Amino acid sequence: MTTLWHNATLATMAEGAPEGVLERGVLVVDQDRIQWVGPIGDLPRELRLRVTQDFDLAGALVTPGLIDCHTHLVYGGERAHEFEMRLQGSSYEEIARAGGGIRATVAATRQADDDALYALASRRLRTMMAEGVTTIEIKSGYGLTCHHEARMLRTARRLAGSHAVGIRSTYLAAHAVAPEYEGRPEEYVDAVCAWLPQLHAQGLVDAVDAFCDTIAFSVEQTRRVLEAARALRLPVKLHAEQFGNQGAAALAAQFGALSCDHLEHLDAGGVRAMAAGGCVAVLLPGAYYLLRQTRPPPVPELRAAGVPIAIATDHNPGSSPVLSPLLMLNMACVLFGLTPWEALRGATANAARALGLQSTHGVLAAGRRADFVVWDAEHPRELAYYLGRNACQRSVHGGVEREH
Ligand code: NIG
Ligand code: FE
């Protein structure tokens, strides 16, 4: 079946294309692929003749489907009381040290059965999809045993099988030291490295991440996790320089990481290393905002060095209970100084790159996947402008329109 979507205001986000929209644009979709994109006047006649169904979009804005390239969507429980504690002056680090934080969610996740984990994550996922998310990354990291990490990763696979969305699953057992290994972080890292081949053999892992920070794992501990990933040829990424700087970005770059995420404390050397290593900077304004951080990531330096910038929700029950990618576009502009266009590129083309999907996802171009969103808007800047308005009218995943 060949479908034609015409009278669109297209923001293709294609690399090299000038910023700005293409009016009276056309998308031709064949099966799950985009077959042709361009102005109506250039549409080849033989292609027009093959169309079996066409849709007039009446000038509506069309962008690539949004890609949320950093989430912790699968978990049990919630931590609203920690939000209250932080409002009363406790810090994220203090709450974590007192047994809250990641450890509290680990307990709740282990307690939730498989169906409960799935149902909770499915609800969150549907909220994201309603705002135009067509691809999402989901990390493990609240199981912290081989069995419970596997349950989280399997939940991500199960979600992929039952929702019209692409899902990449990332192994993040190096998120916190498991309670069973209290005071024995080196042994815990040994275990994290030993579990990985087993989980990978079950087809559960698309990439490997670690929380490399002054309040989490050291550079040397993280290096061991990255080596275990490299031995399996799995792509890597890091939670880097969120609370302090211990050279996590430089380590990631040595391993050719897809991305370094957070980066509030990234320094000039880290920026250079990321540029040389081809890493994407994934900025997470939701966590920055909710933790009331005051030092934004070095956006001008990242720009000057040519490091691609992506934006994600970092959805998690502690630092970022955010289910709105559109809100992240706004916050990336207001808090971090991105332009609305950069923010949209950050949630499409550059987010695809942060997942290693740049040859298939994130832009509207011939041969790419037909993942796109029709918005009740005329220009991409409106997507970053409104707060609390879901302008997503229609969305298409792999050529198939989803229910809204
Ligand atoms: O990306 N920084 C570490 N991990 C998460 C927070 C996880 C949690 O608090 O549960 C993050 O912000
Ligand atoms: Fe995170």
Side-chain angles (χ1 to χ4, degrees):
M1 190 167 82
T2 303
T3 54
L4 176 99
W5 301 73
H6 66 104
N7 212 356
T9 300
L10 292 176
T12 65
M13 310 316 282
E15 206 170 332
E19 280 188 20
V21 295
L22 173 64
E23 285 176 20
R24 284 176 291 284
V26 168
L27 271 175
V28 179
V29 174
D30 183 35
Q31 308 292 338
D32 62 346
R33 300 277 142 177
I34 297 172
Q35 201 175 5
W36 193 86
V37 192
I40 183 78
D42 294 353
L43 178 65
R45 203 179 121 74
E46 66 280 8
L47 206 53
R48 182 76 188 87
L49 293 173
R50 248 187 279 148
V51 168
T52 44
Q53 199 174 18
D54 76 62
F55 302 101
D56 183 349
L57 296 178
L61 174 68
V62 175
T63 71
L66 300 186
I67 298 176
D68 195 348
C69 64
H70 179 142
T71 85
H72 309 248
L73 201 75
V74 173
Y75 58 85
E78 42 76 32
R79 308 212 308 263
H81 61 287
E82 290 185 9
F83 171 60
E84 284 184 321
M85 287 167 75
R86 288 199 308 275
L87 293 176
Q88 284 155 17
S90 303
S91 72
Y92 181 76
E93 293 95 320
E94 281 161 10
I95 293 169
R97 273 198 296 272
I102 294 172
R103 291 276 203 94
T105 300
V106 169
T109 302
R110 289 181 181 182
Q111 229 165 42
D113 67 26
D114 289 354
D115 287 339
L117 268 189
Y118 170 83
L120 288 165
S122 169
R123 259 175 63 183
R124 298 173 194 132
L125 179 58
R126 282 181 277 124
T127 306
M128 297 274 207
M129 289 167 66
E131 254 192 35
V133 169
T134 53
T135 300
I136 189 167
E137 185 250 20
I138 300 180
K139 299 175 196 294
S140 69
Y142 293 121
L144 313 189
T145 64
C146 190
H147 169 72
H148 288 291
E149 288 291 300
R151 291 178 59 227
M152 292 189 70
L153 294 166
R154 248 184 255 120
T155 303
R157 291 286 190 247
R158 184 174 164 199
L159 291 164
S162 52
H163 295 70
V165 67
I167 298 185
R168 304 297 284 174
S169 61
T170 301
Y171 176 64
L172 176 62
H175 195 195
V177 175
E180 296 76 11
Y181 287 84
E182 177 81 60
R184 296 181 293 137
E186 299 298 336
E187 286 170 52
Y188 181 63
V189 171
D190 290 342
V192 167
C193 297
W195 300 336
L196 176 59
Q198 302 172 40
L199 299 172
H200 182 47
Q202 294 172 52
L204 295 175
V205 182
D206 298 319
V208 174
D209 191 353
F211 186 11
C212 184
D213 214 307
T214 44
I215 65 162
F217 293 94
S218 69
V219 165
E220 283 316 311
Q221 290 163 347
T222 305
R223 184 192 300 278
R224 293 205 282 130
V225 177
L226 300 188
E227 277 165 358
R230 182 153 69 185
L232 299 168
R233 297 175 186 274
L234 280 166
V236 298
K237 42 183 54 242
L238 285 184
H239 281 70
E241 341 289 26
Q242 180 184 13
F243 296 103
N245 185 321
Q246 53 175 12
L251 172 72
Q254 279 172 28
F255 280 80
L258 292 173
S259 70
C260 296
D261 304 33
H262 285 289
L263 300 176
E264 282 79 358
H265 291 264
L266 184 68
D267 61 16
V271 172
R272 277 197 302 275
M274 286 179 66
C279 308
V280 176
V282 177
L283 307 186
L284 306 168
Y288 174 89
Y289 165 75
L290 279 143
L291 298 181
R292 295 206 273 210
Q293 286 181 277
T294 50
R295 175 184 164 136
V299 167
E301 288 79 0
L302 289 166
R303 256 191 214 124
V307 175
I309 297 175
I311 303 298
T313 62
D314 191 16
H315 177 85
N316 74 72
S319 63
S320 190
V322 171
L323 287 166
S324 171
L326 291 177
L327 179 60
M328 296 304 95
L329 299 188
N330 175 275
M331 286 191 180
C333 297
V334 175
L335 300 176
F336 293 166
L338 268 66
T339 67
W341 193 271
E342 284 176 317
L344 180 60
R345 186 183 288 131
T348 54
N350 289 349
R353 183 172 292 278
L355 297 178
L357 298 175
Q358 63 273 19
S359 58
T360 45
H361 292 64
V363 303
L364 302 177
R368 304 304 181 96
R369 268 186 68 87
D371 288 356
F372 59 91
V373 180
V374 180
W375 303 96
D376 179 12
E378 292 174 3
H379 192 279
R381 59 181 159 248
E382 292 169 51
L383 302 181
Y385 165 65
Y386 288 105
L387 280 87
R389 171 174 185 262
N390 181 7
C392 175
Q393 276 182 332
R394 307 171 76 167
S395 61
V396 173
H397 175 253
V400 179
E401 184 160 10
R402 309 188 298 195
E403 295 281 321
H404 272 276

